[in-house]
Amino acid sequence: MLVCCAAGAACSLPGSGAGTVVIYVNAPFASSPWVGRIGQQGAQLAADEINNRTGVTVGGRSYHIKIRTADHKGSTDQALANIRRAAAEKAVAVIDDGSTVMVTAGAAEKAGLPLLVYYDGTTGIVDPAVRPNVFRLAPSNQALAERLGAYLAGKGLRLALVRDDSPYGADGAAQLRQALAAAGTTPVADVTVPGGLPDYRDQVARAVAAQPNAVVIWALAPVVTGVLQSLRELGSTLPVYTAPTGEDPSVRTALASRPDWVQGLTFASLRITDAAGLARWVQFRLGYETRYGEDRLALGEAIRRPVVQPPDWQMLSYDMVYLVKAALEKAGTTDPGRGKLAAALNEVQTQGANGIPVGWTASNHEGTPKDQVYFAVILNLNFRPVQDDPLSKAQPQIEQD
């Protein structure tokens, strides 16, 4: 039986000669269950694989990886408390959804803790000069917007832009405006909506009044759901495009009684894999579904066939654990306080779960360039790559039922 030190620090395990290193997953488990779950599941799967194989070897000693979870509940105060707890327990890294990093990065840096962002694309949170301990594998809003803006401008669409009042929504909308301007166009309507409203019909009506022929929503998943529902309740059949939050299963499950309302929803997201890496990703998916089972969407009685959410975003936290392993072994220490772990992350790489090498450099803490962004469209509650964009068309179709 594995017995960890009371503080959770790296320590010897009686009778095994091995120790334990702790990695925290800090995420909004209660308020955004899918976002929290993809961080925890990918990290735990990688830790299990490493522990069942060679473990982590540092200074001639072997260590197991323990994943701890901390729910920040969407609160920056709670997130800061979680980071301080991770530091007190001598965790070696924090895998973070990213939504609270602007507040927590300083405290983490003082403790030598790397913050590894697996979801939030807000542009300003990653800056090696200002926050050298913050690394990201999730595509940035800038990368997403540059791809989406060029794609939409190429269609010649009159766009209504709807964004929420979160930092994520504000930044994504700003990045998209810049991308559209570079392509020679601007939105015909630009509407900000507050999160948490019972419906968004008034705001949607303003957007539709500008006579667009498509709507772009850059917002957190509950707002994507609410805006899309209000748009359809008003009788609009305009095509809708979103950031990665449109993929969140909560959008489809909330609107499962009206699958026609979700039909055609197109989102920009992290490319799952390419043909060359498909075998590697299938191996990752098999390992994931062997441990966790298929992620079947709870669509209620209206939909009698299964719809399976593939483990795509779980790849990022999975890869992060392998990068932390490589950094620990390169740094030769399990003590994050010395700053060697964060420095080592600038110099290591691993083969990603989708077959693509991943890692960072001292000058670039972004791990996903814009050529790894693709567009997918929801059809019959599954999603598939769009066929009118070359990078997306090259993405293999992933089985979902």
Side-chain angles (χ1 to χ4, degrees):
M1 181 174 66
L2 302 184
V3 180
C4 297
C5 297
C11 59
S12 294
L13 299 180
S16 69
T20 300
V21 289
V22 174
I23 299 175
Y24 262 73
V25 178
N26 183 45
F29 288 92
S31 56
S32 299
W34 183 65
V35 174
R37 186 160 52 84
I38 60 177
Q40 183 273 330
Q41 289 178 326
Q44 189 62 62
L45 181 61
D48 289 348
E49 290 180 357
I50 292 167
N51 294 341
N52 289 333
R53 295 172 183 169
T54 60
V56 182
T57 303
V58 179
R61 292 191 58 200
S62 180
Y63 295 85
H64 289 114
I65 297 173
K66 183 173 182 60
I67 303 298
R68 295 192 190 278
T69 60
D71 187 355
H72 64 59
K73 304 174 184 177
S75 161
T76 54
D77 289 342
Q78 184 61 55
L80 189 57
N82 293 347
I83 296 299
R84 287 171 175 160
R85 189 173 79 196
E89 294 183 9
K90 302 295 183 186
V92 295
V94 175
I95 293 173
D96 201 292
D97 76 293
S99 60
T100 59
V101 160
M102 292 289 277
V103 172
T104 61
E109 185 181 6
K110 287 179 183 178
L113 271 174
L115 297 182
L116 313 180
V117 177
Y118 69 85
Y119 190 70
D120 194 299
T122 302
T123 306
I125 67 178
V126 176
D127 185 335
V130 178
R131 285 174 288 279
N133 62 319
V134 177
F135 303 80
R136 177 161 52 196
L137 286 185
S140 69
N141 283 349
Q142 181 179 11
L144 291 159
E146 285 180 0
R147 283 275 287 129
L148 185 58
Y151 175 64
L152 295 176
K155 292 176 173 290
L157 297 172
R158 288 170 48 86
L159 297 169
L161 174 58
V162 180
R163 63 95 166 177
D164 67 10
D165 56 358
S166 69
Y168 175 78
D171 175 71
Q175 296 297 326
L176 185 60
R177 290 187 203 102
Q178 290 180 27
L180 291 171
T185 187
T186 57
V188 297
D190 198 328
V191 178
T192 300
V193 304
L197 292 182
D199 69 70
Y200 294 92
R201 280 175 286 189
D202 289 345
Q203 294 85 354
V204 167
R206 293 206 309 272
V208 171
Q211 298 184 316
N213 52 22
V215 176
V216 184
I217 307 171
W218 208 298
L220 301 178
V223 178
V224 171
T225 302
V227 170
L228 181 57
Q229 178 174 338
S230 293
L231 188 70
R232 300 308 184 222
E233 286 175 343
L234 289 173
S236 172
T237 59
L238 288 171
V240 175
Y241 300 85
T242 77
T245 49
E247 183 188 345
D248 190 316
S250 68
V251 177
R252 281 171 284 166
T253 56
L255 300 177
S257 64
R258 291 299 306 266
D260 55 312
W261 288 359
V262 190
Q263 186 82 346
L265 175 67
T266 301
F267 56 84
S269 189
L270 169 78
R271 191 171 67 163
I272 298 176
T273 187
D274 56 22
L278 183 58
R280 171 74 180 109
W281 188 81
V282 169
Q283 178 186 5
F284 165 77
R285 181 176 189 170
L286 178 62
Y288 174 86
E289 292 184 345
T290 297
R291 191 188 198 289
Y292 295 108
E294 292 182 332
D295 286 339
R296 296 193 175 195
L297 274 61
L299 299 173
E301 293 299 319
I303 309 297
R304 298 193 179 277
R305 62 180 177 82
V307 175
V308 177
Q309 171 71 21
D312 49 359
W313 285 80
Q314 287 89 337
M315 294 187 297
L316 302 186
S317 55
Y318 175 92
D319 291 345
M320 287 170 172
V321 173
Y322 274 97
L323 286 166
V324 171
K325 174 185 184 293
L328 287 164
E329 293 177 341
K330 183 173 184 62
T333 179
T334 60
D335 181 0
R338 301 178 185 180
K340 290 186 177 181
L341 300 183
L345 284 168
N346 292 317
E347 303 176 19
V348 296
Q349 274 197 341
T350 189
Q351 183 191 40
N354 62 358
I356 298 172
V358 294
W360 302 284
T361 66
S363 61
N364 184 7
H365 286 186
E366 298 282 10
T368 301
K370 68 179 181 180
D371 64 2
Q372 294 302 316
V373 172
Y374 87 119
F375 311 118
V377 57
I378 295 176
L379 299 172
N380 299 320
L381 297 174
N382 291 339
F383 59 83
R384 61 186 63 183
V386 302
Q387 298 299 294
D388 60 351
D389 170 71
L391 283 174
S392 302
K393 188 175 181 179
Q395 160 77 54
Q397 174 59 37
I398 302 300
E399 185 67 33
Q400 295 168 54
D401 53 20

